[in-house]
Amino acid sequence: MNMRVASSYLAGILFLSCIPMIQGGTPVYGVPPVAAQEQEGSRGLIYQASQATEQAWEEFHAAAIGGTLASPAVQSSIERQLHEARALLMEARKAERDNQFDAVNTLTQKIMRITQNIVQASREKKQ
């Protein structure tokens, strides 16, 4: 009789520990895999945006030092865009900490557009 009771308790415990896995969670961490994947994806997006911002800065800096920027107005515009990209990057990092993955996606897309504009403007030569 005791063996039968013990086996039913064991079966109940096993069943209850399998419910989170059936629902898509991991019992070890208690974090659903979808959230973990979104977090990894947002980290990747932020890393790419950070790298694009650094590349844009390097392109601008090389053009400014080399004296090849199209005009002082272009330089001012690029500097404003660099500040904006960096501010958006800080917002994206905060959104990632707050698990706002849609905001991370939107912000990093804006950063990528801005940095592409910076690189393009930095490569335009004086005339």
Side-chain angles (χ1 to χ4, degrees), residues 33-70:
V34 173
Q37 289 173 351
E38 285 180 336
Q39 190 171 25
E40 280 298 314
S42 67
R43 282 187 191 139
L45 290 173
I46 290 173
Y47 177 78
Q48 290 173 357
S50 175
Q51 292 298 311
T53 303
E54 286 300 313
Q55 180 190 2
W57 164 252
E58 289 173 12
E59 290 275 345
F60 165 68
H61 188 255
I65 295 294
T68 60
L69 286 174

Side-chain angles (χ1 to χ4, degrees), residues 79-89 110-111 114:
E79 288 171 349
R80 272 193 309 277
Q81 290 177 27
L82 279 169
H83 288 294
E84 182 181 358
R86 288 179 174 157
L88 290 172
L89 191 56
K110 287 180 185 178
I111 293 167
I114 291 168

Side-chain angles (χ1 to χ4, degrees), residues 2 16 20 37 44 56 58 61 71 74 78 90 97-98 104 125:
N2 285 339
L16 291 175
Q37 289 173 351
E58 289 173 12
H61 188 255
S71 70
V74 169
I78 291 173
M90 289 189 311
R97 285 191 303 272
D98 295 340
V104 171
K125 303 295 180 193

